[in-house]
Every structure is written in C-alpha cells, then in structure tokens.
Amino acid sequence: MSAVEQADVVVVGGRIAGSAVAITLARGGRKVVVLERRSFPSDTLSTHVLVPYAVAEAARLGALERLLATGAQRSPYVHVGAGNVQLTEHWPTAEGIGYGLCIPRPEQDHAFMETARAAGADVRERADVTEVVWRDGRAAGVRYVDADGAEHELHARLVVGADGRRSTIAAEVGSWRPYRGSRNGRGAAFRYMDDPRAGDRRWGETMSQWRWGRNIGYTFPVFPGRVICLLMPPAEEIGAMRRDPDGAWDALLASDPDGIGWRLEGATNRTKLRSTAETTSFFRASSGPGWALAGDAGHFKDPVIGSGQRDALRFGRRLGELVAPVLDEGGSDAELDAALRTWERERDRQCNASYHWGCRESAPTEPATPLLQEVIRTFEGNPAHLSHNFNRTLEPERAAGPRALALGLLNALHRHPGRRGEILREALDELPAELGIRADRWFGVFRASSSRPTERPDFDWPPPPAPSARRAAPEPGVDPEEALARAHEVVMGV
Ligand SMILES: Cc1cc2nc3c(=O)[nH]c(=O)nc-3n(C[C@H](O)[C@H](O)[C@H](O)COP(=O)(O)OP(=O)(O)OC[C@H]3O[C@@H](n4cnc5c(N)ncnc54)[C@H](O)[C@@H]3O)c2cc1C
C-alpha cells in the first residue's frame, strides 16, 4: 500500500451528485478528492431530462457552457396529453433559464466531471472504493484500489458517498437499508430515434408527457432531429418488452393513436431498447459522524417524475455550501456533524412532497382518470402551473392546490355523469394522502418512518454486497474524445 494521503473531503462517485459537491467545495479552496470507479465518459441506465430548474443548477455550478457545447436541443415548451386534455406551456424562466435539456449521460456526466476538475477537484477515475476508514467512531477516510490493482488509503475530515443506489459507503456506515421506501409500480423502457415531427418547431422543441390506459410515456428532444422516448407501463409489462422489444413497444404506442402513438408515428433509426423494473424509491439515513450520502446514495424518487438529477445537483451543491464554513473555520467535529444533519433535514423537507408525488404517479393504475384530467385542465387558467409541477418551483401540493382539486372534482362530476361514484371514491382516497403530505410539511419529524397512503412499503431490499463482492470489473482507460464521439454515434444510431 502507498503512503496515506490527506484531503479535506473525499467524494466517492463522480457523476452528478459527486461533481456538484466537489465543485462547490473545490471552488472555495478545499482539497477535494473524487474517486470514481468508472472510466469517463461513461453511460448509466437512466434517461436524462433536465428541467429548467435543473439546468439552472448546472449553470450555478458552472457546467452550462460545457453542456450546451454538446449541441443539445433546447426545449422551451412542455406539454401534457391526458385523454381529452392537451396542454402546452412555455416553461417560465427559472433563475434566468427558460428551457430544458436532455443530454445523454456519457456526454452530460463527462461535462460535470470536467467542471469539477476545472474547479480544482482532484478527480481520479478507475478508483474503486472498498472500505471506509474509521477513527474514534468517525468516518475518517477510505481505502480504494486503482486501475493497476494497487491499494491506497486516503484520509479526510468528511467522507461523501455519492456512489448511487447500491452505495458502498451506505453499506460501510450501516445505512444500507432505507428507513422508508416504496416499491415502484411502473417500469421504464427507453430508446432514441429520429424525430418524425422535428420539422414542426412546436414538437421539435417540446418536452412531453403522455398519459393513457395504464401507461405514462415521455418524449424529450435530445439533439436537433433526435428524440428519446421513455415508456413507463406497469412494472410487470417490462418482461414482455424484453422478450419482444419491437413488438411490445409498437403495440404500446399503437394503443394511444391520438397521443404518443401519433407523436412518434413513422419514427425511424431506433436504438436498442433499454429497460428496468427496479426503481424502488427510498430515504436512507444520510448523515452521521464524518459522513454523508449525496444524490441517489441517500434518497431516490421514482423516475416517473424526472427529478433525480435536479435534486442530485441541488443537494450536492447545498451539502458543499453548508459544510464549507465549518471546514474553512476549523470548526469542531460536532459542528461538522450538525451541518450535515441540517443538510439532510433540508433535503428531506424539500423532497418529501415530490417523493410522494413520484410514489403516486408510479401506481400502475389509470393515470388520466376523469378527476385527473379535470385537475390538469384547471392549469389552463393558471399559467405555469403545469411547469411548476415538473420544475418543482412550486411544491406539488401547491401547484395542484385545494382550488384546482375542488374545481377539478366539480368539473369531473359534471362532465362524466356515468363515472360519478368512481370519481368521488378517487377524491376521497386522495384526502388522507393530501393531508398527510401537508402534515409532514408543518410538523415534519426527522427521519419519520411511518408510511403514507401513497407508498407501497412492501419493497424488497437485498442485503448489501459482501465486501469481497463490491469491486467492479476493471475498465480499460479510454481516450475521452474518442469515447465521446463513439457514445454520440450510439445515440444517433450511426
Ligand atoms: C430508468 C431511470 C430513468 C431516470 N430518468 C431520469 C430523468 O429523466 N431525469 C432525472 O433527473 N433523473 C432521472 N433518473 C434518476 C437519475 O438517474 C439519478 O437520480 C442520478 O443519476 C443520480 O446521480 P448520482 O450522482 O447520485 O448517482 P449515480 O448516477 O448512480 O452515480 C454514482 C457513481 O458512483 C460510482 N461508484 C459507485 N460505487 C463506487 C465505488 N465503490 N467507488 C467509486 N465509485 C463508485 C459509479 O460508477 C457512478 O458513476 C432516472 C433513473 C432511472 C433508474
């Protein structure tokens, strides 16, 4: 083993959350080392919509120029299609940004990592963290293995696990099992294709959500003329998609001929289908003596609401901002731990309502009920409420507040006389969830573990991988420019 190194902060994982923490602390002159087991640019199984608020976070971190240099399409419009309701809005400007982006992960994540390097963080790729080092009951550093198989020890006052849902750091600090969570009801399947409606400016620059049958789907412009489609049917249908990717995909689109089926009719040059049915949402205890879990390592929301990256960036940055003064002023360990706890509390408070929104949207039931359609219709008279909902510039319970719910209910009863019983039942079923979410906001208990009606708490949670099984297969080093070009070709279907 080489000589033990010393840093102020070690960040494990160099994608979105890790880069956000590292950029914020490195800019302030802290010695930050980022250890990332992959060789970047690197892909991951995730779509990648950045709503304007997330783009604004990227701008704050200084990554926007690099993101735009990828040639990504800017999407200033957002659309929802739900049965009889078709609603399009111009995104309102959030911190100077009035458009969304959707940049494939190899290019996007590389841009964040390079921004961290430029800010002064020491980013080491192909560095696989295996253990946390403890001193007097505090996390005091990590051990890792480099690309040549050599072992290293790095000491730091703060260890940040930004290493994703299967976080090694969560396992090492005893926080592997979430204290609350919800089984996903929907799966996710996605692919890129040439956009058959790119010539129509309205569609070529619009991020859209489609709700039909028991399904939710999305179309996001990626590069000019190229679009990604994410289908989120009930989770049990992902198996059929894997057995017959093209047949099942086409059948699902055809089942919404006036919505997403129409939007993508005639799409060509489709890439291979990728899918997952494992997207349990959760909260883990995310701070402790000398450690924190940022991004997906600490908290995951169902991808159906497309908020993961936004929050990984936002709360990565906030973690850096909250601990910086303690690290700068030689604060005590108790002060550092208090700052970490303040950070976790802030994250939970700001994410609670959208976590429940994600749990609710992930229920594999009809997503465009008469009640829901009529609630969405009320947004027509409230500019930007649809955008607020996706952007989270208003909490979901405020964007679709009591007035929208009451008006939606009255209109649903009026317009769908044959379904009144069902509409009333749905409204009544919503009540406890709505009240619970508001109660959490007013009286929020830290790390409350009791479940709300939106959640499906019967989720499976595998045991943590044994330390001997944690290491990833070593990757060869790559030339970043060549690898970026190759990743781009894959997305473009070349
Ligand atoms: C199907 C799907 C679709 C999604 N779609 C969207 C979307 O459209 N928009 C959106 O905002 N969010 C979306 N999300 C959520 C989004 O992917 C995540 O919230 C986001 O990637 C979290 O970033 P992160 O940096 O916390 O973790 P990750 O992206 O998981 O990165 C963790 C990093 O840590 C590294 N690492 C892991 N272990 C170690 C170790 N031991 N040593 C060193 N390095 C390690 C990994 O190699 C990886 O690079 C989606 C998620 C899924 C599953």
Side-chain angles (χ1 to χ4, degrees), residues 13 15-17 36-37 46-49 105 129 168 296 308-309:
R15 272 184 209 278
I16 318 240
E36 165 57 57
R37 60 159 55 133
S46 164
T47 54
H48 34 76
V49 65
R105 297 297 297 261
V129 173
T168 298
D296 283 5
Q309 300 192 119

Side-chain angles (χ1 to χ4, degrees), residues 127-312:
D128 202 349
V129 173
T130 51
E131 272 177 87
V132 168
V133 175
W134 296 92
R135 198 166 45 212
D136 302 328
R138 301 183 61 75
V142 296
R143 291 196 183 89
Y144 72 96
V145 181
D146 71 16
D148 300 321
E151 291 189 6
H152 302 265
E153 190 164 313
L154 179 62
H155 288 181
R157 270 198 81 191
L158 173 61
V159 175
V160 178
D163 49 347
R165 290 183 282 165
R166 293 180 61 74
S167 166
T168 298
I169 303 304
E172 282 283 297
V173 300
S175 190
W176 174 262
R177 192 170 168 89
Y179 63 84
R180 82 185 297 171
S182 179
R183 178 174 49 79
N184 55 298
R186 297 187 180 279
F190 60 94
R191 67 195 334 171
Y192 302 91
M193 61 203 73
D194 286 349
D195 187 346
R197 302 201 180 271
D200 177 345
R201 197 163 154 251
R202 161 144 184 252
W203 291 108
E205 300 180 0
T206 301
M207 299 181 151
S208 307
Q209 184 194 62
W210 309 91
R211 308 169 76 97
W212 79 104
R214 292 171 68 209
N215 311 294
I216 295 181
Y218 290 93
T219 47
F220 303 124
V222 178
F223 297 113
R226 199 82 176 143
V227 65
I228 188 171
C229 172
L230 165 66
L231 296 182
M232 301 199 72
E236 66 269 15
E237 289 179 24
I238 293 298
M241 289 226 156
R242 288 183 179 155
R243 285 191 295 278
D244 179 14
D246 288 336
W249 177 273
D250 289 338
L252 198 49
L253 291 182
S255 68
D256 188 26
D258 299 325
I260 194 169
W262 168 84
R263 170 71 181 84
L264 294 178
E265 196 174 13
T268 51
N269 193 16
R270 305 192 299 197
T271 55
K272 206 169 138 230
L273 192 65
R274 300 174 72 194
S275 62
T276 177
E278 287 165 22
T279 51
T280 293
S281 311
F282 61 83
F283 284 95
R284 278 180 173 132
S286 300
S287 60
W291 61 266
L293 300 175
D296 283 5
H299 162 54
F300 184 75
K301 284 183 278 296
D302 198 287
V304 72
I305 63 166
S307 267
Q309 300 192 119
R310 171 206 187 274
D311 286 340

